[in-house]
Amino acid sequence: MADIHLYSILDNDFYKFTMQHAVIKLFPNAKAKYKFINRGQHIFPEGFAEILKKEIVKMEQLKLKKEEKEYLRDTCPYLDPTYLDFLQGYRYDSSEVEIIQTGSDLSVKISGYWYRTIMWEVPIMSLICELYYKITKQKRISDEEVSTVAKEKINKYKKLDITIADFGTRRRHSYEVHDLTIKALKDFGSECFIGTSNVHLAMKNCIKPIGTHAHEWFMFHAAKYGFKMANSLGLENWSNVYRGDLGIALSDTYTSKVFFSQFDKKFTKLFDGVRHDSGDPLNFADMTIDHYQHYGIDPTTKTIIFSDGLDYEKVERISKYCKEKIGISFGIGTNFTNDVGLKPMNIVIKMTDALPEEAQWTPVIKLSDEKKKYTGDEEMIKLSKQILEIKD
């Protein structure tokens, strides 16, 4: 009843592949731990963990197909041929994932070499969502209605004269809903819909895979180099690997205020723009514009990617505010891939600890621009705020 068909090893977010490539080059001996956080306090039915385990074991069968390798070679020339060969040989190892259910509480922990475990977060989250809806027998709207909803949304967004990408793999209702949504967005989105973070669906629909890096990139750098150096060395290492490609920098791992204080003239010129993922988007736009103007850079030559819990009203407000001030684009997640008449799940999987080469396990944290999005060890959060002089 709850079986889920596995489609492709590329059914994952693009930034997982770009980060995996960079980790293999720079930190091949590093290890990492992750854990599942049930933000929405969802109640998992009896036997959920056992079904999830079976699905995760099935993922060991996934491998990069020849045509998928060619697609990555043609579409992403900044990924080394040696990485594509590695990916062809990569297999998920379910022994890296520990799943325990106590009553209605679900515990998921991931541990192992960072270059391997980095791939688990997105597919496990999408599996949890899809299984949850199936096992609890929640009935969604029809396929035709899913397509109609996506069509109506993209037609509204087109009128705002903006560009939008799908960022919805992690908390999608199901693969089928995601697939239908992407097809509708492509068919009716014309120049408004520019791509998806899901590499498999990008390939399937002949559109662009979109993404750069995630918070865990900077979280690891804090474990290895310290909080004061995490942003600058994270950006330095990223630019050393990608040499100007994949140039959107994530700003809020240790608050955007700290990020911009370390986003010096070199990085400001080198990176194409920044991504907003927490806090007030209009305040962030002002902060970003001021930063570019401070360095004598025309903000309209740079881009902010907004990606924090977006819906039409929020996008409209941001686009009106930023019009002709700075380049903007939007990454919409759950509102695209889980708008099916059911309550979307509120879950995350976050890196909790990192083991840099020849060091010791270190708790890692994320501060964000809003307190409710803080993750990690409380003592380490206090320490980081002290070191970075972050006042509440």
Side-chain angles (χ1 to χ4, degrees), residues 38 51 111 194 278:
N38 184 4
I51 296 168
S111 183
I194 55 171
S278 64

Side-chain angles (χ1 to χ4, degrees), residues 243-281:
R243 316 302 299 172
D245 281 314
L246 304 177
I248 298 294
L250 182 58
S251 61
D252 70 333
T253 311
Y254 304 108
T255 75
S256 292
K257 185 178 178 183
V258 169
F259 171 85
F260 281 117
S261 73
Q262 299 167 347
F263 197 50
D264 65 15
K265 191 166 189 176
K266 171 187 165 180
F267 294 135
T268 301
K269 286 192 163 189
L270 177 63
F271 281 81
D272 301 322
V274 294
R275 178 157 76 90
H276 169 264
D277 198 48
S278 64
D280 185 280

Side-chain angles (χ1 to χ4, degrees), residues 198-358:
N198 187 293
V199 186
H200 163 63
L201 292 173
M203 178 180 170
K204 183 177 179 181
N205 290 279
C206 301
I207 54 179
K208 186 180 177 185
I210 289 177
T212 53
H213 48 241
H215 295 104
E216 67 180 285
W217 181 252
F218 298 98
M219 291 159 78
F220 173 83
H221 278 75
K224 185 167 174 65
Y225 301 110
F227 292 113
K228 281 189 177 290
M229 299 303 293
N231 282 321
S232 54
L233 286 177
L235 295 170
E236 188 73 43
N237 281 329
W238 192 258
S239 61
N240 285 341
V241 171
Y242 288 109
R243 316 302 299 172
D245 281 314
L246 304 177
I248 298 294
L250 182 58
S251 61
D252 70 333
T253 311
Y254 304 108
T255 75
S256 292
K257 185 178 178 183
V258 169
F259 171 85
F260 281 117
S261 73
Q262 299 167 347
F263 197 50
D264 65 15
K265 191 166 189 176
K266 171 187 165 180
F267 294 135
T268 301
K269 286 192 163 189
L270 177 63
F271 281 81
D272 301 322
V274 294
R275 178 157 76 90
H276 169 264
D277 198 48
S278 64
D280 185 280
L282 306 190
N283 288 346
F284 181 83
D286 288 340
M287 194 188 309
T288 307
I289 290 164
D290 288 347
H291 181 81
Y292 285 125
Q293 289 174 338
H294 171 74
Y295 283 115
I297 294 166
D298 179 359
T300 61
T301 65
K302 299 292 185 177
T303 300
I304 301 175
I305 310 288
F306 291 94
S307 63
D308 179 29
L310 299 177
D311 55 22
Y312 177 80
E313 287 71 27
K314 205 169 177 182
V315 169
E316 182 185 35
R317 186 163 58 93
I318 294 167
S319 60
K320 280 182 178 176
Y321 188 81
C322 294
K323 197 169 181 64
E324 297 178 3
K325 294 180 186 174
I326 191 166
I328 55 171
S329 190
F330 298 87
I332 296 181
T334 310
N335 192 253
F336 271 159
T337 60
N338 204 346
D339 187 7
V340 295
L342 303 173
K343 185 180 178 182
M345 297 194 79
N346 184 6
I347 58 174
V348 292
I349 290 177
K350 289 292 176 190
M351 181 189 278
T352 58
D353 301 86
L355 177 61
E357 300 87 331
E358 296 165 10

